[in-house]
Amino acid sequence: MRRTALTIAFLVGLNAPALAQKAEIEAVNAKWMQFFNAGDFAGIASLYTEDAVALPPGSAMIKGRAAIEAMWKGMAEQVTDPKVITLDVKSLGPSAAREIGTFSLKTKGPDPKEVTGKYVVVWEKVANDWRLAADIWNEGK
Amino acid sequence: MRRTALTIAFLVGLNAPALAQKAEIEAVNAKWMQFFNAGDFAGIASLYTEDAVALPPGSAMIKGRAAIEAMWKGMAEQVTDPKVITLDVKSLGPSAAREIGTFSLKTKGPDPKEVTGKYVVVWEKVANDWRLAADIWNEGK
């Protein structure tokens, strides 16, 4: 079974480390969404590296867990129901990867709108855990 | 002299590979700006990896050198005088790095405006050359 999976991975041009990284990263993204929906912004911040940088559209870049926690807390006052879809994970070595994906979310208020966009995340492995190290997104997909 | 530079690098928390990568990446960025100003979009495309992805705000992501060449050619009809400033290069290994920086450019037309923003580039070393592998930016800095 494992061999079959590896053969399929080879045939589609992936490799086992990249496949494993993608699954691990998708699991962290799932936690990210759970934390957001639960209003647990300290939880979200814990998924970033200590020195992570977030680059939200329309404002300055934001450095470090505490600032990132405050950013998402502020964002949650304006938007809801974020969904991220991982399109591609490229392994950059045993402890780094870059992810490309798309997202959607809904604005709050009397006239809610869906906003869609795309993102790049640079992931770093800290001990055994993948953590977001750079997180940038923009609209349009 | 070299020893002094390395000592200073150590003191400010950098390391020699990261410093070298930053200088090499800034040199490629300088070429990028030269090519743009010269209208040489094939030259710009040559600075990207074959399978590079560009993620411009407001439109779909763009894959591969030919599409990236066409994107910048189209962009040059609307904007001019791009300037990028590298703020930070983080080594992700001998053949990968992530850059964070800011940019400015001017819109063309009767009422030109300055647009400023920030970006993340994932760089990959191909043979001896650093190449842009993922390039995403947004407004605000």
Side-chain angles (χ1 to χ4, degrees):
Chain A
M1 193 63 184
R2 180 150 185 275
R3 184 170 172 154
T4 307
L6 288 176
T7 305
I8 292 167
F10 176 77
L11 290 172
V12 298
L14 296 171
N15 55 46
L19 277 185
Q21 287 178 359
K22 183 167 189 275
E24 290 166 7
I25 282 168
E26 286 176 319
V28 181
N29 284 337
K31 275 191 201 173
W32 193 104
M33 288 183 270
Q34 283 166 14
F35 284 140
F36 192 98
N37 290 331
D40 182 355
F41 303 103
I44 286 191
S46 75
L47 303 178
Y48 287 77
T49 61
E50 294 281 358
D51 63 349
V53 182
L55 299 96
S59 60
M61 65 182 77
I62 287 168
K63 297 179 191 175
R65 278 185 176 165
I68 288 171
E69 177 178 343
M71 176 192 73
W72 288 118
K73 192 173 178 180
M75 212 80 89
E77 292 169 10
Q78 300 169 38
V79 302
T80 185
D81 200 17
K83 290 193 172 69
V84 306
I85 297 170
T86 301
L87 295 182
D88 187 54
V89 170
K90 185 163 192 174
S91 175
L92 303 173
S95 59
R98 80 98 183 92
E99 177 195 8
I100 292 176
T102 58
F103 71 87
S104 68
L105 48 81
K106 295 190 183 79
T107 60
K108 288 184 170 179
D111 182 23
K113 291 195 176 78
E114 193 188 48
V115 177
T116 59
K118 54 203 181 297
Y119 66 88
V120 171
V121 172
V122 177
W123 293 84
E124 294 176 19
K125 204 160 196 173
V126 181
N128 288 317
D129 299 310
W130 286 104
R131 294 293 173 246
L132 296 92
D135 185 7
I136 179 169
W137 62 99
N138 61 35
E139 290 190 24
K141 76 172 183 183
Chain B
M1 192 63 184
R2 182 151 184 275
R3 184 171 171 149
T4 307
L6 288 176
T7 305
I8 291 167
F10 175 77
L11 290 171
V12 298
L14 296 171
N15 56 44
L19 276 184
Q21 287 178 0
K22 183 168 191 273
E24 290 166 7
I25 282 167
E26 285 176 319
V28 181
N29 283 338
K31 274 192 202 174
W32 193 104
M33 288 183 270
Q34 283 165 14
F35 283 140
F36 192 98
N37 290 331
D40 182 355
F41 303 104
I44 286 190
S46 75
L47 302 178
Y48 287 77
T49 61
E50 295 281 357
D51 63 349
V53 181
L55 300 96
S59 59
M61 64 182 78
I62 287 168
K63 297 178 191 176
R65 278 185 175 165
I68 288 170
E69 178 178 344
M71 176 191 73
W72 288 118
K73 193 174 177 179
M75 212 80 91
E77 292 168 10
Q78 300 170 37
V79 302
T80 185
D81 200 19
K83 290 193 173 70
V84 305
I85 296 171
T86 302
L87 295 182
D88 187 54
V89 170
K90 185 163 193 175
S91 175
L92 303 172
S95 58
R98 80 97 184 92
E99 177 195 7
I100 291 176
T102 58
F103 71 86
S104 67
L105 48 80
K106 294 190 184 78
T107 61
K108 287 183 169 178
D111 183 23
K113 291 194 177 81
E114 193 186 47
V115 177
T116 59
K118 55 202 179 300
Y119 65 88
V120 171
V121 173
V122 177
W123 292 84
E124 293 176 18
K125 205 160 197 173
V126 181
N128 288 316
D129 300 310
W130 286 103
R131 294 292 173 246
L132 295 94
D135 185 9
I136 179 168
W137 62 99
N138 61 34
E139 291 191 24
K141 77 171 185 184

